[in-house]
Amino acid sequence: MLKKRIIPCLDVKNNKVIKGVQFVNHEIVGDILNLALKYTNDGADELVFYDITASIENRVVSKQWVKKIAELINIPFCVAGGIKTVQDAKIVLANGADKVSINSAAIQNPSLIKKLAQRFGKQCVVIGIDSYEKDGEYYVYQHTGEAKLTKNTGIKTLDWAKQVCELGAGEITLNCMNQDGVRKGYDLKQVKLISEAVSIPVIASGGAGEIKDFENVFKLTKATGALAASVFHKNIINIKNLKEQLNKKGVKVKC
């Protein structure tokens, strides 16, 4: 059985790590390089770097930041932010990223998923899905890095997850916006729905508040990884201790 992954996330704006609640009201929580090194030393399985305003500002994530972080850490490294073309992805990967994550660009141009998978291998292609529950249905949102520009695409999350899988994505990060930053647990219903509907790994994101939340998402859904931010940034949970407790509870993670 594959071991579950614990994945801290660095949401970056104006060269600082920030965190909000339900994708709004962001506050600065730390330094990029310090946190990247801390989480590597704490035993994180992967690190995710999101430049949250790159897409809406029509630019690509800074290759300098990618290179600096890649030189500092020794764990798999996924990068997101304004990647719209195969060439954009090539530059990010050449500067040390192991994976690229795309969101709005994939919605606007689904064929990009297939092109990236063919060029770099599906293991390099992650699709970030920002999903919001409305009237009992889950919908894909885009431009979530800026509250004023965030919009409902009208695409149902389940339909989009199946489509990106068919197009060649290697992994989905499911960002459950209703739960984001509130630390009341992952959206188990939604994570279960999506992870059971596709044949590729699904990373649960949004809602971690205590160790029990990680245990629940791994035991009650088919999520292969759990992404979190504020509980790690604010030292509410230590990754090494989290992994020790999960192993005791029968959740196999790499220590």
Side-chain angles (χ1 to χ4, degrees), residues 9 11 17-29 180-182 228-230 233-234:
C9 175
D11 292 317
V17 179
I18 55 95
K19 190 68 186 83
V21 176
Q22 297 179 334
F23 288 49
V24 296
N25 300 324
H26 296 115
E27 62 174 321
I28 295 173
V29 293
D180 178 74
V182 299
S230 59
H233 298 335
K234 296 178 182 294

Side-chain angles (χ1 to χ4, degrees), residues 24 26 42 45 50 60 63-64 87-88 92 100 110 119 126 145-146 156 192 203 242 248:
V24 296
H26 296 115
D42 284 349
D45 295 300
Y50 285 159
V60 182
K63 65 181 181 181
Q64 285 80 15
Q87 182 63 22
D88 291 340
V92 170
V100 293
R119 178 66 181 275
V126 180
E146 178 55 62
K156 292 184 178 180
K192 186 175 189 295
I203 307 303
L242 168 63
K248 289 179 180 178

